[in-house]
């Protein structure tokens, strides 16, 4: 029934395969994808520096390849070349909108402080992160895993609302480990929340909520455009433009 609900979506938003796999096989695939995501997250944050650098991109490739071997089609993962054009206007709009919002936020002293991340206090480091590290280590792997494989697997089992909601929640929970110590490395957040246990907990909860909302928007873009191009562009803009905004914020008067 859930598959039929998704297939009944408007033509511009339909993205499922016309072949309906068995529910048991779909549940097994979904379980394997979730398990892989959990293991990847633990290794990325607690298995050492070099493991953390390579494990997420490698896991993304393995998930795409494994899901393809398990019968998931390129279109279900948002990777069909025929679907790319539909995402171009959304991709461009996303980048422009994020650039405009970040520019205004950095220009206003009251909001500029929230961009003062120690990680991007150097312009060269921010450029390297925005153009190389963030796309290859974060944006592309996460979009392949979450809006590609996970959303495709969820869509085989659930209707559209549950697919988007569970995918967004999974994306939010994915960021728990990366938000540990969030307030300690951001001057604006530490001033607002403090750097103690309470501030850390609030920071983690805030990160989960924010990334869940972002995951919902990214998932909707994936559904609306039937490809990963638009969510990849928005995800990159949020992270990379934010990093560049942080570098600028450090060089402006407080």
């Amino acid at each position: 029934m859930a598959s039929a609900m998704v297939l009944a979506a408007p033509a511009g938003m339909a993205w499922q395969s016309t072949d309906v796999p068995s529910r048991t096989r779909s549940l097994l695939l979904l379980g394997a994808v979730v398990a892989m995501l959990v293991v990847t997250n633990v290794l990325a944050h607690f298995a050492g520096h070099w493991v953390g650098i390579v494990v997420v991109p490698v896991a993304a490739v393995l998930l795409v390849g494994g899901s393809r071997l398990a019968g998931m089609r390129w279109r279900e993962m948002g990777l069909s070349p025929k679907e790319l054009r539909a995402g171009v206007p959304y991709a461009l709009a996303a980048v422009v909108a994020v650039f405009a919002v970040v520019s205004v936020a950095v220009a206003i002293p009251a909001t500029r402080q929230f961009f003062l991340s120690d990680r991007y206090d150097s312009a060269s480091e921010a450029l390297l992160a925005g153009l190389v590290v963030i796309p290859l280590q974060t944006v592309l792997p996460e979009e392949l895993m979450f809006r590609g494989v996970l959303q495709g697997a969820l869509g085989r089992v659930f209707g559209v609302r549950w697919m988007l909601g569970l995918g967004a929640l999974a994306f939010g929970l994915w960021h728990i480990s990366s938000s540990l110590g969030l307030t300690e490395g951001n001057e604006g957040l530490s001033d607002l929340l403090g750097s103690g246990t309470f501030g850390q907990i609030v920071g983690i909860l805030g990160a989960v909520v924010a990334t869940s909302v972002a995951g919902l928007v990214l998932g909707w873009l994936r559904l609306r455009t039937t490809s990963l191009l638009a969510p990849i562009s928005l995800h990159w803009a949020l992270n990379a433009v934010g990093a560049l905004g942080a570098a600028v914020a450090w060089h402006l008067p407080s």
Side-chain angles (χ1 to χ4, degrees):
M1 181 176 68
S3 297
M5 288 174 63
V6 178
L7 289 169
M13 298 179 68
W15 56 277
Q16 300 285 67
S17 167
T18 54
D19 296 330
V20 180
S22 71
R23 186 169 181 82
T24 300
R25 189 173 63 182
S26 298
L27 286 170
L28 289 173
L29 175 60
L30 178 58
V33 171
V34 171
M36 183 69 168
L37 288 172
V38 172
V39 171
T40 300
N41 189 271
V42 172
L43 291 175
H45 295 97
F46 305 107
H49 176 70
W50 291 108
V51 174
I53 289 176
V54 302
V55 68
V56 176
V58 169
V61 173
L62 291 177
L63 275 172
V64 170
S67 299
R68 183 75 178 113
L69 290 174
M72 189 176 290
R73 296 191 174 187
W74 294 121
R75 191 168 193 261
E76 290 181 274
M77 294 185 282
L79 295 173
S80 172
K82 297 179 180 178
E83 309 293 338
L84 289 178
R85 289 184 61 184
V88 172
Y90 291 87
L92 293 174
V95 173
V96 171
V98 171
F99 182 83
V101 170
V102 170
S103 297
V104 171
V106 171
I108 300 174
T111 53
R112 183 185 307 150
Q113 61 177 327
F114 298 109
F115 287 84
L116 298 178
S117 171
D118 294 341
R119 185 184 303 180
Y120 303 122
D121 57 356
S122 165
S124 60
E125 291 179 2
L127 280 172
L128 178 64
L131 299 179
V132 179
V133 178
I134 288 173
L136 297 181
Q137 195 175 341
T138 302
V139 174
L140 289 173
E142 288 186 358
E143 289 308 309
L144 287 171
M145 292 190 297
F146 284 92
R147 260 61 62 183
V149 175
L150 179 62
Q151 187 156 321
L154 286 169
R156 288 187 165 201
V157 179
F158 300 102
V160 172
R161 291 182 180 179
W162 279 100
M163 176 188 72
L164 293 178
L166 291 174
L169 178 61
F171 192 58
L173 295 176
W174 169 267
H175 287 83
I176 290 178
S177 299
S178 62
S179 64
L180 297 175
L182 178 66
T183 55
E184 295 178 2
N186 188 295
E187 185 176 306
L189 288 177
S190 62
D191 289 343
L192 178 65
L193 303 175
S195 56
T197 302
F198 174 78
Q200 187 178 52
I201 292 173
V202 174
I204 292 172
L205 292 175
V208 170
V209 171
T211 50
S212 294
V213 173
L216 187 62
V217 175
L218 293 167
W220 178 83
L221 279 174
R222 157 75 177 88
L223 180 68
R224 181 68 180 84
T225 64
T226 69
S227 84
L228 289 181
L229 181 60
I232 285 174
S233 300
L234 177 58
H235 195 162
W236 173 82
L238 289 170
N239 288 22
V241 176
L244 296 174
V248 173
W250 278 109
H251 294 85
L252 292 176
S254 57

